Amino acid sequence: VPSPYAIRTFGDPVLRRKCEPVDVIDDTLKQLAADMITTMYDAPGVGLAAPQIGVSKRFFVFDADDGKGPFTVINPRITRAEGEYTFDEGCLSVPGLHFPITRANEVDLTGTDLDGNEINFSFTGFEAKIMQHEFDHLDGILLLQRLDDDARKKAMRTLRERQLRANG
Ligand code: NI
């Protein structure tokens, strides 16, 4: 089965928009989440947020490859963030580039699942990184915005050069 959605990439305005809360969990949303999980696995990736398929709503899917996922988290909130963890991070919407980014090492996250039940997660390290990265997407924040000025300028230059080459 081909991926139902093309993943939006850097430059698409939907990626910089703050998403609206989900107020109804219906069959359309459930299908969207299922299709996002397929798209995430096909990519392949460990997380995918709704704006990455052009939907400006507050939910994301993830599978930390720990045998427990995939999960869909609707209207997530980060309720605790502690410590520091640095990881060479990438994003399906900024393909081919990786940057060392420091985020919280421990994160508690609460939200709603597709049955409308409250779900709570406590993660450290790599999994905590996924939560914070996907949560950022819902606020229109790409990993480029987490870089210091010099690193961001360099990354933007690389992206511009790549766009020029792609346009011939
Ligand atoms: Ni991403």
Side-chain angles (χ1 to χ4, degrees):
V1 183
S3 291
Y5 292 102
I7 294 174
R8 305 296 182 96
T9 54
F10 174 78
D12 190 319
V14 73
L15 295 171
R16 297 305 308 278
R17 214 172 285 150
K18 196 172 160 71
C19 297
E20 296 292 326
V22 172
D23 42 37
V24 63
I25 300 167
D26 55 12
D27 288 346
T28 305
L29 187 84
K30 288 177 189 181
Q31 187 60 52
L32 211 51
D35 290 344
M36 275 170 63
I37 288 165
T38 307
T39 305
M40 171 180 77
Y41 286 145
D42 279 359
V46 291
L48 192 68
Q52 293 183 276
I53 58 153
V55 176
S56 201
K57 290 277 180 187
R58 300 191 75 81
F59 70 100
F60 63 75
V61 300
F62 73 96
D63 186 341
D65 204 18
D66 56 3
K68 295 178 192 153
F71 292 102
T72 301
V73 194
I74 299 163
N75 297 332
R77 285 184 299 122
I78 291 175
T79 55
R80 188 179 69 95
E82 279 175 41
E84 283 191 355
Y85 173 80
T86 303
F87 187 81
D88 201 27
E89 203 170 308
C91 177
L92 295 173
S93 293
V94 189
L97 295 182
H98 292 82
F99 312 95
I101 293 178
T102 301
R103 297 185 185 270
N105 183 47
E106 294 175 41
V107 161
D108 290 351
L109 183 117
T110 182
T112 304
D113 70 13
L114 288 169
D115 296 317
N117 299 315
E118 185 183 303
I119 38 172
N120 296 287
F121 298 98
S122 288
F123 284 132
T124 60
F126 179 69
E127 293 163 316
K129 185 278 298 179
I130 300 173
M131 295 304 108
Q132 294 165 85
H133 178 113
E134 300 312 328
F135 188 86
D136 268 359
H137 274 300
L138 306 184
D139 284 333
I141 297 169
L142 290 174
L143 79 178
L144 299 166
Q145 275 79 55
R146 293 291 180 201
L147 302 175
D148 65 37
D149 284 351
D150 282 351
R152 190 171 53 250
K153 276 180 195 147
K154 197 165 160 247
M156 299 298 271
R157 211 158 40 232
T158 305
L159 287 164
R160 259 199 311 275
E161 282 164 10
R162 192 188 284 177
Q163 252 156 10
L164 287 174
R165 271 201 308 276
N167 295 337

